[in-house]
Amino acid sequence: MLTRNCLSLLLWVLFDGGLLTPLHPQPQQTLEAEARENVVPVPGRRSSAQRVKRGWVWNQFFVLEEYMGSEPQYVGKLHSDLDKGVGTVKYTLSGDGAGTVFTIDETTGDIHAIRSLDREEKPFYTLRAQAVDVDTKKPLEPESEFIIKVQDINDNEPKFLDGPYVASVPEMSPVGVIRTALPNMDREVKEQYQVLIQAKDMGGQLGGLAGTTTVNITLTDVNDNPPRFPKSIFHLKVPESSHVGSAIGRIRAVDPDFGKNAEIEYNIVPGDGGNLFDITTDENTQEGVIKLKKPLDFETKKAYTFKVEASNLHLDHRFHSVGPFKDTATVKINVLDMDEPPVFSKPMYTMEVYEDTPVGTIIGAVTAQDLDAGSSSVRYFIDWKNDVDSYFTIDATEGTIATNELLDRESTAQYNFSIIASKVSNPLLTSKVNVIINVLDVNEFPPEISVPYETSVCENAKPGQVIQTVTAADKDLSPAGQRFSFRLSPEASNKPNFTVHDYRNNTAGIETRRNGYSRRQQELYFLPVVIEDSSYPVQSSTNTMTIRVCRCDSDGTILSCNVEAIFLPVGLSTGALIAILLCIVILLVIVVLYVALRRQKKKDTLMTSKEDIRDNVIHYDDEGGGEEDTQAFDIGALRNPKVIEDNKIRRDIKPDTLRFPRQRPPVEDNTDIRDFINQRLQENDVDPTAPPYDSLATYAYEGNGSVAESLSSIDSLTTEADQDYDYLSDWGPRFKILADMFGEEESYNPDKVT
């Protein structure tokens, strides 16, 4: 390093003294020092500018990195031609690292690096140098910039930036970028490999540095291994009570491959018992799950044997030569005996019974058996759910079903209920079966004519004309092929008006037998039709059809069937008839109103007359004072004026004990009624709970113009002798019934009169 610095100083001296002249300028990228011209005023000369020789010239400086010497590393020397070596020039340094990395001798201009440098951290430093007069502190030269480059040494080994590296190579791969050192590398044998790679600089020459990294290589899987069962026979034990669809066991084939290459499909090879079972693959464990497809029965078959095949789903054609990628194993299933409920002989029972069958009649039976090895007795009972089940009973031991009530098909045609069978040894084990009982019909209802029961016939009808087609309906459940027959009743057969034509297809036609009908002579005809069914016993009924005679046009269209239309002129239209009817109604309303007004006027005259004996009768909305109101009106004014003249005693107050003069008119006295009324009056007079008085009114006054005078029996109070009713016979035929009633001799007890 010292030799190099000395050589640099020598070259500077040579060039500065003009001894050497460079033939070619240095390139810009290697020579960054500049030749600077400085104009310096010289005392005693002309003041005009003149070219002077360069004040100083130097090249770029170099310094080695990683210097480990004990002394500061010499970089170079700065010198000005104005420096005469007498100590009048001072050198200063500024810029990158001035004072911290580089120092300069102020007197000599020597530059040193005071610490070790690293080119990888900073490859060069830019500095500025200046020569200053020591006395005046003024610059002797303009400030100049120069560069100190750090020279590289081989102090860094090669480095792998992204290590360690990860790579994957399919197993059994051919030669590629990464070459295998061993043939047929198998992932199932070893999956992970680690490779150490070294890199050297300087082309691997002596003294070069080296760097290493690690590459982790994983062998990826290929489907190069078939599945294999670990054993050839699998034994399973299954209870016979296992439900259909339930898993009864698992088997597994082993495939050393990984991922989808290890996916296995299981299939049952057709054979003994294979149709009773099914097998699926558990996607998580790759096990074969055996499921039950049909029920098992220990008493029927105790063991099953079949084969299961395991194969890969995803095959690799490169390894077909290895062999078939599947394996086969045998599965043996032993059925375990379980305590099972009884089994009915049929899945459902259907029975029939006639309606009205006597109570207690056996109509059928159900049968259930215990198929276990130790057979147990069975008990039967009906599963009661509603009141309908009470129509039947079942024998608990024999299983026979009998009627418990009378059945009516028209009410319920079918019964559906369940019967439960249980084992005597274990009543909790039960089975159930449905029983359907159809109630058969007994021909108990006669057929009847379906609606309509009424039809019509035109006045201008011709003989043999069908006026109505009738059908029949039967409340009984008519069997297939039920036939109904129609005919006239015997009493109508000899009348030449209508007849019944049986079409023998369960319909009949009503035909006319006359040439025309007249509404004036007869408006309605009643035709009795006899209908019979074909069931046993035969039932028949007589149905009366009403046939109304109507007026029709020439085409047979009905114009009118009303009775009133008979008496109206034939040529009147419907509008004219309506107008006539309205006029009649209006006249009737006028007459009714006139009569009502006359009656109202007469009533008002009677109510307003002051001489009328009913002058003091209270009007409609006046409420009287009751029995104690003695001032409202004198009820005695309504009695017979003749009796009032003879007897002035008031009857609306409590009577005194008086003896009235007795009169015995030969015709008007009635002893029985008089005695009865007197007896009741006396009983009420002495009764402390009776009202304080009795008010008796006579309203049966007939007037003086009547031959019989008063018919009221209340007026008999004035007589005491027995009444002779023979005079009633003299009143004429209008009173004959009354004379017969009172003329009979019979004993009369007043106490029984109510």
Side-chain angles (χ1 to χ4, degrees):
M1 181 64 66
L2 182 60
T3 303
R4 180 180 298 179
N5 294 336
C6 294
L7 181 60
S8 298
L9 181 60
L10 178 61
L11 290 175
W12 174 75
V13 172
L14 291 176
F15 276 103
D16 186 67
L19 298 178
L20 293 177
T21 301
L23 296 178
H24 301 285
Q26 293 182 344
Q28 182 67 25
Q29 64 273 20
T30 59
L31 182 61
E32 296 185 5
E34 297 179 358
R36 304 180 184 273
E37 294 181 355
N38 192 7
V39 178
V40 179
V42 179
R45 293 187 182 182
R46 294 179 302 177
S47 60
S48 59
Q50 60 181 2
R51 184 179 183 278
V52 295
K53 188 174 59 177
R54 291 176 301 174
W56 55 4
V57 176
W58 64 85
N59 295 326
Q60 57 185 351
F61 296 104
F62 298 90
V63 61
L64 293 176
E65 66 172 341
E66 305 296 342
Y67 174 73
M68 304 301 293
S70 59
E71 298 293 332
Q73 182 181 182
Y74 181 76
V75 178
K77 182 180 181 63
L78 296 180
H79 182 74
S80 174
D81 56 356
L82 298 179
D83 185 7
K84 302 304 182 180
V86 294
T88 60
V89 179
K90 178 182 178 181
Y91 297 96
T92 63
L93 189 65
S94 63
D96 290 343
T100 59
V101 178
F102 302 99
T103 61
I104 187 170
D105 191 317
E106 296 180 350
T107 303
T108 62
D110 294 333
I111 300 174
H112 293 83
I114 60 176
R115 67 182 182 87
S116 178
L117 302 179
D118 188 358
R119 190 195 65 83
E120 284 72 28
E121 292 182 1
K122 191 173 181 65
F124 63 89
Y125 295 86
T126 301
L127 297 166
R128 291 181 299 277
Q130 193 171 32
V132 181
D133 187 273
V134 174
D135 299 328
T136 62
K137 307 300 182 182
K138 293 182 178 180
L140 298 177
E141 297 284 351
E143 189 177 53
S144 181
E145 185 176 87
F146 64 94
I147 296 174
I148 298 177
K149 288 188 176 181
V150 181
Q151 290 185 332
D152 184 38
I153 63 173
N154 191 14
D155 60 342
N156 293 298
E157 71 277 3
K159 291 183 178 180
F160 293 91
L161 300 180
D162 299 326
Y165 295 87
V166 177
S168 61
V169 179
E171 60 177 337
M172 307 296 179
S173 295
V175 174
V177 177
I178 297 179
R179 300 184 180 183
T180 58
L182 298 175
N184 299 328
M185 299 181 69
D186 193 355
R187 185 197 67 84
E188 287 73 28
V189 177
K190 186 176 182 180
E191 183 178 6
Q192 297 286 341
Y193 292 89
Q194 193 175 70
V195 178
L196 184 65
I197 297 178
Q198 184 184 57
K200 289 185 177 181
D201 57 5
M202 297 181 64
Q205 297 180 6
L206 184 64
L209 300 179
T212 59
T213 187
T214 302
V215 179
N216 296 318
I217 300 176
T218 302
L219 295 181
T220 58
D221 185 56
V222 296
N223 192 8
D224 58 341
N225 296 288
R228 291 286 183 264
F229 284 106
K231 54 185 179 180
S232 60
I233 299 178
F234 292 87
H235 294 274
L236 299 176
K237 295 181 180 181
V238 182
E240 63 174 342
S241 59
S242 299
H243 297 288
V244 174
S246 62
I248 60 175
R250 290 172 176 257
I251 61 175
R252 183 180 181 181
V254 179
D255 190 338
D257 292 325
F258 178 76
K260 69 176 185 178
N261 296 322
E263 293 181 0
I264 303 174
E265 181 183 21
Y266 297 90
N267 293 288
I268 295 178
V269 179
D272 179 32
N275 58 343
L276 270 73
F277 307 94
D278 192 12
I279 189 169
T280 58
T281 302
D282 188 335
E283 296 181 357
N284 296 324
T285 62
Q286 294 300 314
E287 292 178 318
V289 182
I290 301 176
K291 296 183 178 181
L292 191 62
K293 290 175 60 177
K294 296 180 180 179
L296 300 176
D297 187 10
F298 176 82
E299 289 72 24
T300 303
K301 193 170 184 179
K302 299 177 176 59
Y304 297 90
T305 302
F306 54 90
K307 291 184 178 181
V308 176
E309 182 182 80
S311 59
N312 281 135
L313 288 175
H314 307 282
L315 301 178
D316 194 334
H317 63 279
R318 295 176 298 175
F319 304 101
H320 284 177
S321 59
V322 178
F325 279 75
K326 59 183 179 180
D327 195 13
T328 304
T330 302
V331 178
K332 290 187 176 182
I333 295 179
N334 294 322
V335 182
L336 301 179
D337 187 21
M338 303 296 293
D339 196 5
E340 297 177 299
V343 179
F344 283 96
S345 59
K346 296 180 180 180
M348 184 181 66
Y349 291 85
T350 302
M351 304 176 186
E352 295 179 346
V353 60
Y354 282 98
E355 61 178 337
D356 298 330
T357 299
V359 176
T361 302
I362 296 176
I363 59 177
V366 296
T367 303
Q369 294 180 349
D370 181 16
L371 302 180
D372 292 331
S375 180
S376 173
S377 300
V378 179
R379 293 292 180 265
Y380 306 92
F381 57 92
I382 296 177
D383 185 13
W384 299 98
K385 292 183 178 179
N386 48 51
D387 296 337
V388 176
D389 301 335
S390 63
Y391 281 85
F392 305 94
T393 59
I394 187 171
D395 186 277
T397 304
E398 301 295 332
T400 56
I401 301 174
T403 58
N404 195 35
E405 296 182 17
L406 290 177
L407 307 178
D408 184 11
R409 191 204 64 81
E410 286 69 31
S411 175
T412 305
Q414 188 182 78
Y415 294 89
N416 191 341
F417 55 92
S418 300
I419 291 180
I420 298 177
S422 63
K423 297 174 64 172
V424 176
S425 60
N426 189 356
L428 297 179
L429 294 176
T430 62
S431 57
K432 184 184 296 186
V433 70
N434 286 337
V435 177
I436 298 176
I437 297 180
N438 296 317
V439 181
L440 303 180
D441 185 42
V442 174
N443 193 22
E444 55 184 338
F445 294 99
E448 297 177 352
I449 288 181
S450 302
V451 292
Y453 278 91
E454 182 174 340
T455 185
S456 60
V457 63
C458 294
E459 288 183 309
N460 55 358
K462 303 299 182 182
Q465 181 178 344
V466 178
I467 62 174
Q468 180 68 46
T469 300
V470 296
T471 59
D474 195 341
K475 294 182 180 179
D476 294 314
L477 180 62
S478 301
Q482 173 78 297
R483 295 292 302 273
F484 300 107
S485 61
F486 302 83
R487 70 175 187 274
L488 281 178
S489 64
E491 62 270 15
S493 300
N494 54 358
K495 295 181 181 180
N497 293 320
F498 302 93
T499 186
V500 176
H501 186 176
D502 190 354
Y503 296 140
R504 301 189 181 279
N505 60 353
N506 292 341
T507 62
I510 308 299
E511 297 181 356
T512 59
R513 298 181 62 185
R514 289 175 50 181
N515 187 9
Y517 298 84
S518 175
R519 286 188 294 169
R520 296 180 182 273
Q521 295 179 359
Q522 186 173 351
E523 180 192 4
L524 297 176
Y525 291 88
F526 299 98
L527 184 66
V529 179
V530 178
I531 306 177
E532 291 184 354
D533 59 18
S534 59
S535 300
Y536 181 83
V538 175
Q539 297 287 348
S540 64
S541 65
T542 301
N543 302 263
T544 301
M545 291 194 63
T546 301
I547 303 175
R548 185 181 297 275
V549 180
C550 299
R551 184 170 63 87
C552 306
D553 58 10
S554 58
D555 296 332
T557 303
I558 297 176
L559 299 178
S560 176
C561 292
N562 298 329
V563 181
E564 293 79 0
I566 301 175
F567 304 99
L568 295 176
V570 179
L572 294 179
S573 63
T574 304
L577 294 176
I578 294 175
I580 293 173
L581 291 176
L582 287 176
C583 292
I584 294 173
V585 171
I586 292 173
L587 290 175
L588 290 176
V589 172
I590 292 173
V591 172
V592 171
L593 291 176
Y594 176 75
V595 173
L597 290 174
R598 288 293 302 272
R599 289 185 177 179
Q600 184 67 28
K601 184 177 181 181
K602 183 177 178 181
K603 182 177 180 181
D604 293 342
T605 304
L606 292 174
M607 295 299 293
T608 56
S609 175
K610 295 182 178 181
E611 298 178 358
D612 197 320
I613 61 174
R614 291 171 293 180
D615 179 49
N616 57 351
V617 176
I618 304 303
H619 287 279
Y620 300 112
D621 57 350
D622 251 347
E623 184 175 354
E627 292 178 333
E628 299 179 0
D629 188 1
T630 58
Q631 304 300 325
F633 60 90
D634 185 5
I635 201 66
L638 298 178
R639 291 199 294 267
N640 191 336
K642 181 178 178 180
V643 177
I644 296 174
E645 293 294 336
D646 295 338
N647 187 6
K648 300 296 184 180
I649 302 301
R650 298 264 317 261
R651 297 188 183 183
D652 56 349
I653 62 175
K654 182 177 180 180
D656 297 331
T657 305
L658 299 175
R659 302 297 295 182
F660 301 105
R662 299 182 180 179
Q663 299 179 2
R664 187 179 178 84
V667 186
E668 299 179 2
D669 196 10
N670 190 329
T671 306
D672 294 337
I673 300 301
R674 181 201 64 195
D675 294 341
F676 170 73
I677 293 176
N678 286 336
Q679 182 181 355
R680 287 292 182 265
L681 289 174
Q682 292 175 7
E683 289 177 358
N684 282 277
D685 288 343
V686 299
D687 187 0
T689 62
Y693 57 85
D694 191 8
S695 178
L696 183 63
T698 301
Y699 297 96
Y701 173 61
E702 291 292 335
N704 294 328
S706 175
V707 178
E709 296 184 357
S710 177
L711 296 179
S712 176
S713 60
I714 303 176
D715 199 28
S716 61
L717 182 63
T718 58
T719 63
E720 294 181 358
D722 295 336
Q723 179 69 42
D724 185 7
Y725 298 105
D726 294 338
Y727 64 89
L728 294 176
S729 301
D730 300 335
W731 290 358
R734 297 178 62 185
F735 297 94
K736 182 178 182 301
I737 297 176
L738 190 60
D740 294 340
M741 292 175 57
F742 286 92
E744 299 177 357
E745 292 187 12
E746 59 182 5
S747 60
Y748 177 75
N749 187 0
D751 294 335
K752 296 183 180 180
V753 177
T754 58

